[in-house]
Amino acid sequence: MTRTIPVLTNQKARRIFLQRHLLANAPSGKGRGDELAGVIEDLGFVQLDSVNTFARAHDLILWSRRQQYRPRALENLLSRDRKLFEHWTHDASTIPIQFFPMWRIRFERAAKELEARWAKDRRAGFLEKTHGVLKQISDEGCCCSADVGRDEEKKSGGWWDWHPSKTALEYLWHSGQLSVVRREGFRKIYDLTERVIPPEYLNAYVDERDAIDWHCNAALDRLGFATSGEISAFWATVTKQEAKEWCARELSEGRIVEIDVEGTDGTLRRSFARPELMDEQVDELSPRVRLLSPFDPALRDRKRAERLFGFNYRIEIFVPAAKRTYGYYVFPVMEGERLIGRVDMKADRPGKVLNVTAFWPEEGVRMGVGRISRLHAELQRACGLGACQEVQFQDGWLRKA
């Protein structure tokens, strides 16, 4: 008998995916304390990024879901309340503290990888500095990268110019021996992990098999549906092969099923999901316009965003200005379950003005009076996050699709 693979329509796939990413309902809620910690737990993590033309990525990600949120709330969860810790997923991220035991697998793997990789490049010799860095922090207290390697030549370039003690500091963080106790500006301040992580999480241990199971299960629950490669990439901790083996095992035991997910172009992509996903009830999404971060969890996987939403996006920070299609750092704009365009804007903080240079609607998006009004309203709401009081539109800001 031929087995029928159920098809998840594109519309339902979008709605399920956005529900999982907390973008289905109006962004109401306190945006602080335990409520904010719950948002981050539901998302899994929030990527940290330093670009601040309007607001940093992590702040905009949280504001898009809780518009009462302000940056101090995240700082409090990390450095005061210890409800979060900072480490690595696919990039630097803030992560619920209860997940810390699951990160030991990453600490161990990162140590081996960095010892092998960094020993071969211009950062060779860093391992000899680790004991001295640990002793300095143990004796003198927390520090930043500028405080270590006082007798070493300091350079101002990128990672390739790290002096050995700076490299040792990063190694000790990636391998879990140091933790970020707080940030000053955007500079990481490190301390011994045992002085940062609460003991109930510091002293909890999970074996490798259980950690792999947790990472795969937690990724699928947050994505709704995914390929084994997407499961692997979510936390960027388990390997593609481990995720593939996990999917095969879960499939054989009936805990997940295969489905075909329809893209915007009608093509089908074989994916995995919980058996109950196809019967999940999804309502029409809130029609309000939302401003999103380029690093929003719903858009981080650019290929998936293009398949599900028909939205092609790339960061043009490193593209020469004359060759940019849109701008240095443009923000995706969503309306309901549809990405309707992208906006180029920058906060003039001394003048307390949010300057909008351009908005490019997506192909087929008609910018009528109602939609323009909703876009204006969202930009005005965003002023509070960007330390602005009013929005100013440059002549010719509304571009053609």
Side-chain angles (χ1 to χ4, degrees):
M1 180 182 293
T2 302
R3 184 165 60 96
T4 301
I5 303 296
V7 174
L8 187 65
T9 66
N10 181 248
Q11 183 183 66
K12 189 171 182 179
R14 290 187 191 200
R15 292 182 178 182
I16 287 174
F17 189 72
L18 293 175
Q19 282 180 341
R20 293 293 197 278
H21 287 81
L22 309 184
L23 291 171
N25 301 316
S28 59
K30 294 179 180 178
R32 63 182 184 274
D34 288 342
E35 200 264 353
L36 182 64
V39 169
I40 298 170
E41 181 178 0
D42 287 345
L43 293 174
F45 62 90
V46 172
Q47 180 178 341
L48 299 166
D49 191 74
S50 62
V51 177
N52 197 16
T53 57
F54 160 64
R56 290 195 168 109
H58 42 283
D59 293 323
L60 182 51
I61 288 168
L62 294 170
W63 180 86
S64 296
R65 291 154 174 84
R66 297 291 186 271
Q67 289 191 345
Q68 293 185 46
Y69 165 83
R70 292 298 181 266
R72 176 63 65 182
L74 183 63
E75 295 169 17
N76 288 341
L77 287 178
L78 177 67
S79 61
R80 186 192 69 186
D81 304 331
R82 296 282 180 254
K83 296 290 182 72
L84 306 171
F85 72 102
E86 183 178 327
H87 211 264
W88 208 258
T89 54
H90 68 290
D91 210 320
S93 300
T94 183
I95 304 161
I97 192 68
Q98 60 268 33
F99 296 174
F100 183 85
M102 304 303 174
W103 251 249
R104 294 191 182 280
I105 184 175
R106 174 176 279 278
F107 300 155
E108 294 167 2
R109 292 179 176 189
K112 293 177 182 177
E113 177 193 349
L114 296 180
E115 286 168 18
R117 177 155 54 89
W118 285 358
K120 295 178 182 177
D121 63 25
R122 280 177 274 184
R123 291 171 288 188
F126 75 93
L127 282 173
E128 289 81 354
K129 298 291 184 178
T130 55
H131 177 73
V133 170
L134 283 172
K135 187 176 188 309
Q136 176 183 332
I137 296 174
S138 178
D139 293 347
E140 300 178 16
C142 55
C143 75
C144 67
S145 60
D147 299 323
V148 297
R150 294 164 181 154
D151 58 343
E152 298 169 24
E153 181 184 0
K154 303 295 178 69
K155 301 180 180 181
S156 59
W159 61 262
W160 55 87
D161 276 339
W162 288 356
H163 57 81
S165 291
K166 158 66 173 171
T167 307
L169 189 70
E170 287 293 317
Y171 167 82
L172 290 166
W173 175 59
H174 278 284
S175 61
Q177 297 174 72
L178 296 179
S179 291
V180 175
V181 65
R182 65 181 183 276
R183 284 198 182 234
E184 294 180 357
F186 203 68
R187 174 175 284 184
K188 295 196 291 284
I189 308 298
Y190 303 89
D191 202 350
L192 302 178
T193 290
E194 58 263 33
R195 296 201 296 224
V196 176
I197 304 300
E200 61 267 34
Y201 306 113
L202 177 70
N203 299 322
Y205 290 86
V206 177
D207 67 30
E208 184 176 88
R209 170 66 181 269
D210 287 343
I212 290 170
D213 283 350
W214 182 90
H215 277 86
C216 292
N217 273 303
L220 183 58
D221 287 341
R222 285 162 176 80
L223 292 169
F225 48 85
T227 66
S228 61
E230 290 168 341
I231 289 171
S232 170
F234 184 85
W235 305 104
T237 296
V238 302
T239 67
K240 291 181 179 179
Q241 182 60 33
E242 287 166 342
K244 186 175 181 180
E245 291 170 357
W246 179 84
C247 288
R249 185 170 62 251
E250 296 294 294
L251 186 65
S252 69
E253 295 177 3
R255 288 191 285 268
I256 63 174
V257 296
E258 289 183 303
I259 65 171
D260 282 334
V261 180
E262 182 184 32
T264 53
D265 61 358
T267 59
L268 301 178
R269 183 175 178 81
R270 187 62 49 85
S271 300
F272 298 101
R274 303 293 183 196
E276 61 272 17
L277 183 87
M278 295 301 297
D279 296 325
E280 186 172 316
Q281 297 299 309
V282 289
D283 299 323
E284 187 173 342
L285 273 61
S286 168
R288 73 181 292 161
V289 168
R290 296 177 191 261
L291 186 66
L292 301 181
S293 164
F295 298 108
D296 195 280
L299 304 176
R300 178 177 66 83
D301 185 331
R302 309 295 191 209
K303 292 182 179 178
R304 183 172 56 218
E306 189 162 6
R307 286 194 305 272
L308 278 181
F309 301 101
F311 188 71
N312 180 285
Y313 184 91
R314 68 169 179 161
I315 292 285
E316 296 186 290
I317 289 175
F318 302 110
V319 177
K323 295 184 178 180
R324 289 176 189 147
T325 303
Y326 298 105
Y328 174 81
Y329 192 85
V330 300
F331 299 85
V333 178
M334 176 172 280
E335 182 182 43
E337 64 196 45
R338 185 181 186 186
L339 284 152
I340 62 169
R342 60 203 83 198
V343 61
D344 185 9
M345 64 185 193
K346 185 175 182 179
D348 171 9
R349 294 183 179 88
K352 298 185 177 180
V353 171
L354 179 58
N355 289 308
V356 176
T357 303
F359 174 81
W360 292 269
E362 287 292 280
E363 184 177 353
V365 173
R366 181 178 174 274
M367 295 302 295
V369 173
R371 183 167 280 146
I372 290 175
S373 176
R374 290 190 292 275
L375 175 61
H376 284 198
E378 176 72 350
L379 292 170
Q380 187 61 53
R381 286 189 290 265
C383 283
L385 180 65
C388 299
Q389 293 180 352
E390 62 175 317
V391 184
Q392 289 186 1
F393 295 88
Q394 182 175 300
D395 289 345
W397 69 273
L398 184 55
R399 308 296 174 87
K400 294 182 179 179

